[in-house]
Amino acid sequence: MVHSFYEYRSLILTTNKDFTDWGELFHNDNVAVPIIDRVIHHSNIFILGGESYRLKQKTTG
């Protein structure tokens, strides 16, 4: 999917994993590295922080 969008379409990805952990996600660093390379090329990366709304609701409700 990333390959077919690369250079042609906009793509929004959200994740709670750092790029350094993507090897675990794809079960192989050799697969994760080219995907990360294409995802971050021409990209705007926004790192959001703070408390998790879902976890907060789970513990109070």
Side-chain angles (χ1 to χ4, degrees):
M1 181 175 97
V2 173
H3 177 71
S4 62
F5 278 25
Y6 183 63
E7 297 281 349
Y8 300 104
R9 300 271 191 261
S10 296
L11 179 66
I12 297 174
L13 296 175
T14 61
T15 181
N16 61 349
K17 297 275 189 188
D18 290 331
F19 288 132
T20 56
D21 297 331
W22 281 29
E24 295 173 22
L25 180 69
F26 292 104
H27 304 289
N28 189 330
D29 285 341
N30 293 330
V31 173
V33 170
I35 291 172
I36 293 168
D37 182 57
R38 283 167 181 79
V39 166
I40 64 173
H41 187 241
H42 299 304
S43 70
N44 294 308
I45 299 173
F46 299 94
I47 300 173
L48 306 174
E51 292 184 40
S52 169
Y53 179 76
R54 287 187 207 114
L55 289 178
K56 186 177 177 181
Q57 293 291 72
K58 194 174 197 177
T59 58
T60 62

